[in-house]
Amino acid sequence: PRSPETLVFATLQPIMFVLLFRYVYDGTIEIPGFRYEQYLLPGIFAQTIVFGSAFTSVGLAEDLSKGFIDRLRSLPISQAAVLVGRTFSDLARNLVTFAVMLIVGFLVGFRFEGGVVNAVLATLLLLAFSYSFSWIQALIGLSVKSVEAANSAGFIWMFPMTFVSSAFVDPSTMPGWLQPIADHNPFTVVTNAVRALYNGMDPGSDLWLSIAWAAGITVVFAALSFRKFSSASR
């Protein structure tokens, strides 16, 4: 509530992606077995929530630089509460952004062809994946020396990860040397899983692999972030 412009701009970016890809590339990209909006929107959803995790790194870097973390350390609270609170706040922001983007998706023709239950499962999977990436961003925010560095470091690796995937095109159309990278990209796995659920298809092993990726990333990077936070705050 104190920073409404953050939420506004975080919401405008995915809306622009939806409209640009839907109306600029719709006539040039053909995906067998899919209407393009049914193929595109799950990829846009996944990209948006991953990009939304970057607020964690920027927020933590800013808190450290302004001495806010020092004030929190003087309070009788768990040190883990600082990082958990930050990651959950970004999860809440992602939920709001996703809700707005979903409305736009329906306006451009996207539908829950797999039913409401599968749609809810797909959405929960997306949010779990976004939460796991918030812990990667937390480690980045605690490791850099400035807010500007956190902003750059938080975004630069996400662009190749999201575009070298099945989010926007079929990986089989990519150069031969790039296809294995796209196929084994965890972002491809979760995108394929949520796309199958939204479209009423069998996600197969992608569903369980996505859950495993989300859980594994959360456990590993949360542990690393807690350790880094202890040293950074000292």
Side-chain angles (χ1 to χ4, degrees):
R2 297 180 182 178
S3 183
E5 65 275 8
T6 301
L7 186 59
V8 170
F9 288 110
T11 305
L12 287 178
Q13 178 180 308
I15 292 175
M16 290 174 58
F17 268 108
V18 170
L19 297 178
L20 287 173
F21 274 89
R22 172 65 178 87
Y23 293 109
V24 175
Y25 295 106
D26 185 29
T28 60
I29 300 177
E30 295 184 2
I31 307 295
F34 287 94
R35 288 183 292 112
Y36 188 53
E37 60 269 21
Q38 290 299 126
Y39 186 90
L40 168 69
L41 266 297
I44 293 287
F45 294 159
Q47 183 196 52
T48 299
I49 61 168
V50 169
F51 279 12
S53 67
F55 285 101
T56 303
S57 61
V58 174
L60 279 173
E62 184 177 22
D63 290 345
L64 283 169
S65 66
K66 291 184 176 180
F68 182 61
I69 298 298
D70 294 333
R71 291 194 291 273
L72 290 178
R73 281 176 52 80
S74 67
L75 299 175
I77 61 173
S78 167
Q79 296 300 298
V82 178
L83 296 183
V84 173
R86 167 61 66 177
T87 54
F88 268 101
S89 72
D90 292 332
L91 180 63
R93 182 190 295 110
N94 264 338
L95 184 59
V96 174
T97 301
F98 177 82
V100 174
M101 189 171 49
L102 188 61
I103 294 172
V104 177
F106 269 88
L107 292 176
V108 301
F110 178 74
R111 296 293 183 269
F112 291 153
E113 296 188 350
V116 175
V117 174
N118 280 348
V120 171
L121 180 58
T123 301
L124 292 176
L125 183 60
L126 285 173
L127 293 174
F129 199 67
S130 75
Y131 185 70
S132 70
F133 271 68
S134 290
W135 286 106
I136 299 178
Q137 297 289 2
L139 183 61
I140 293 174
L142 293 169
S143 302
V144 298
K145 301 298 183 182
S146 68
V147 177
E148 292 78 8
N151 188 46
S152 298
F155 272 104
I156 193 169
W157 59 275
M158 290 193 292
F159 278 98
M161 185 191 70
T162 55
F163 280 94
V164 183
S165 71
S166 65
F168 307 113
V169 298
D170 188 339
S172 64
T173 63
M174 299 179 184
W177 61 270
L178 195 57
Q179 292 179 23
I181 299 175
D183 288 335
H184 293 90
N185 183 349
F187 189 78
T188 292
V189 175
V190 71
T191 300
N192 288 344
V194 298
R195 180 179 290 126
L197 291 169
Y198 280 130
N199 285 283
M201 303 166 64
D202 181 11
S205 61
D206 287 332
L207 175 60
W208 307 112
L209 286 173
S210 298
I211 295 173
W213 271 111
I217 292 172
T218 300
V219 170
V220 171
F221 282 91
L224 292 174
S225 296
F226 288 139
R227 182 176 180 180
K228 186 68 177 179
F229 180 76
S230 297
S231 59
S233 57
R234 284 198 297 269

